[in-house]
Amino acid sequence: MNILLIGGGGREHALAWKLAQSPLLDTLYAAPGNPGIAAEGARCVALDTGDHDAVLAFVAEHDIGLTVIGPEQPLVDGLADTLRAKGRKVFGPSASAARLEGSKGFTKDLCSKYDIPTAAYGRFRAAAEAKDFLERLTPPYVIKADGLAAGKGVVIAETRADADAAIDDMLGGRFGEAGAELVIEEFLAGEEASFFALCDGKTVLPLAGAQDHKRVGDGDTGPNTGGMGAYSPAPILDEAMQARVLAEIVEPTARAMAAEGSPFIGVLYAGLMIGADGPKLIEYNARFGDPECQVLMMRMKSDLLPALLATAEGQLDHFALQWSDNHAMTVVMAAEGYPGTPKKGGTIAGLNAAEADGAKIFHAGTTLGDDGALTASGGRVLNITAMAPTLRAAADTAYAAIDRIEWQDGFWRRDIGKAAL
């Protein structure tokens, strides 16, 4: 089977790495892909994924059996709808179902309607009304851009002055249309975790849990990012807690989306806060997490391709997956300036030496220059990933690999997994 993988980040490299192991795979195409994805044997193609007619033509010309959409923007833009309308198999939700990620306000309203546990909230388009709502809350304050903001549209303000500034910033155009409306939530105390499940519109198949590190600096300091590292399994998500998450949050959401006429087909990623009274939903993503996908793919023992195909075909009711008991960790190497304006163009070397002792490096923001040199081309650039019988051993392998990488402009957190360790 020929597969088209949409995307070119660390998440897509992890998916490409896993898909390349499937005996069912004939040719893997990636649009646009990256040097790491190409190294897995994929054919990287210059395809404008915003041009749906061009994607349809490519799928037809190359006999694509399944299109796997990695990032959130093509999902929100309705690429899955376009492909399904022409009878093409696709892994990823419709635009109406992708609203679970594309609109935080939509998700909060859905939770309210169907009694899915989440934080108290308000939705606002006017700064004055938003600031009035703050009077009902105690700090810290959680202010979120309603739409897609590349993981950077959340501000946790410790003071009222900072909260007012965040409101003015978002509604003032910092995130464009994504910030034309914002959501203000009560602050939830507890431990964050990420839970993933495949959903074919009817059946929910749990994957595994992970824990992400959103803040840019050690000790969870600094602004939010798209994620600076992750590990799996997450101790907080033991079997009993996973059962609660499924029964109280994920399965009710799948039923709610079907009842609303937008059945969810793809991977449902629940960002959770687990406190004294149990799990509550922070937000949903409509795709694999990044960098959580990297550790999930490391731990998945089963062939990924049949799982994605069964999801697309509505056949998850008799499907099962096997997972390694080992621990996986990924550490993000980011470019100087991230999550602001990253410094691009720096040369990266030493990756072969870094992988010599068992680490796997997933490319997130790299390109090859005309001279064949690997250079940084994004904010999050490399995902240094390792798996071992213990989390400590996985961490030691990952950080030892980082020490062998030669990249002057890179930085990383040195405390990924610290709470579990």
Side-chain angles (χ1 to χ4, degrees):
M1 176 181 290
N2 295 338
I3 304 296
L4 173 61
L5 175 63
I6 304 294
R11 167 185 48 230
E12 288 75 38
H13 186 180
L15 292 172
W17 173 75
K18 191 65 179 174
L19 287 168
Q21 300 169 26
S22 175
L24 302 177
L25 178 69
D26 291 319
T27 302
L28 175 62
Y29 298 92
N34 63 39
I37 292 173
E40 306 297 345
R43 299 183 185 179
C44 295
V45 295
L47 178 63
D48 180 3
T49 56
D51 184 342
H52 291 191
D53 288 338
V55 175
L56 283 171
F58 184 93
V59 166
E61 180 182 353
H62 295 85
D63 190 26
I64 301 298
L66 178 68
T67 299
V68 179
I69 303 176
E72 58 272 26
Q73 193 65 58
L75 295 170
V76 171
D77 292 343
L79 180 56
D81 303 80
T82 299
L83 290 163
R84 287 197 184 96
K86 295 298 183 181
R88 296 294 181 176
K89 293 178 183 177
V90 57
F91 178 84
S94 65
S96 61
R99 286 181 296 170
L100 282 173
E101 178 167 6
S103 171
K104 294 178 178 63
F106 168 82
T107 299
K108 300 296 287 190
D109 289 349
L110 188 84
C111 289
S112 177
K113 181 176 180 180
Y114 289 92
D115 296 321
I116 297 167
T118 190
Y121 73 102
R123 300 178 67 176
F124 305 96
R125 285 184 171 270
E129 295 175 3
K131 292 175 183 178
D132 286 344
F133 184 77
L134 293 179
E135 298 292 342
R136 309 182 197 177
L137 305 176
T138 56
Y141 308 96
V142 182
I143 300 101
K144 300 180 177 181
D146 179 70
L148 300 179
K152 304 169 191 172
V154 177
V155 173
I156 300 176
E158 299 292 341
T159 68
R160 177 59 191 270
D162 288 342
D164 287 346
I167 290 169
D168 291 336
D169 190 33
M170 288 187 189
L171 293 178
R174 179 184 177 191
F175 298 112
E177 185 60 30
E181 180 176 336
L182 56 79
V183 173
I184 299 177
E185 299 179 358
E186 67 168 333
F187 180 81
L188 295 177
E191 188 170 349
E192 285 194 50
S194 304
F195 184 78
F196 297 82
L198 298 179
C199 183
D200 64 5
K202 310 179 297 296
T203 301
V204 174
L205 176 66
L207 295 179
Q211 203 148 33
D212 188 14
H213 296 67
K214 287 292 186 187
R215 298 293 189 102
V216 72
D218 287 354
D220 291 325
T221 57
N224 272 343
T225 70
M228 293 299 293
Y231 61 94
S232 176
I236 191 70
L237 282 172
D238 58 19
E239 288 189 14
M241 185 57 68
Q242 289 190 49
R244 286 194 64 179
V245 171
L246 270 174
E248 299 173 21
I249 297 176
V250 178
E251 289 176 339
T253 299
R255 291 193 296 268
M257 293 301 290
E260 294 291 317
S262 300
F264 190 94
I265 301 171
V267 61
L268 199 50
Y269 159 14
L272 307 167
M273 183 64 75
I274 300 175
D277 54 352
K280 290 188 178 182
L281 180 72
I282 299 175
E283 62 186 23
Y284 272 122
N285 290 322
R287 37 72 189 181
F288 282 104
D290 190 349
E292 294 99 331
C293 183
Q294 289 82 318
V295 290
L296 293 185
M297 292 304 102
M298 291 290 284
R299 291 189 59 226
M300 184 183 288
K301 295 171 64 176
S302 302
D303 189 340
L304 175 65
L305 180 48
L308 301 186
L309 195 59
T311 304
E313 295 176 339
Q315 300 294 323
L316 284 179
D317 51 342
H318 299 296
F319 206 86
L321 291 167
Q322 291 185 319
W323 297 87
S324 170
D325 292 330
N326 285 343
H327 297 253
M329 178 182 287
T330 189
V331 181
V332 172
M333 293 188 75
E336 179 184 331
Y338 180 79
T341 303
K343 184 177 181 180
K344 299 180 181 181
T347 301
I348 302 168
L351 298 194
N352 289 338
E355 290 187 328
D357 292 328
K360 174 66 181 178
I361 298 175
F362 295 114
H363 293 229
T366 65
T367 189
L368 286 176
D370 294 336
D371 58 357
L374 188 71
T375 60
S377 61
R380 293 184 296 170
V381 176
L382 298 171
N383 308 144
I384 318 305
T385 312
M387 187 168 70
T390 66
L391 186 60
R392 168 55 64 193
D396 289 346
T397 300
Y399 280 107
I402 287 175
D403 288 340
R404 296 186 177 188
I405 295 174
E406 302 168 21
W407 177 31
Q408 189 173 0
D409 303 324
F411 76 95
W412 57 94
R413 281 185 57 166
R414 301 175 186 274
D415 64 345
I416 302 302
K418 181 178 180 180
L421 291 169

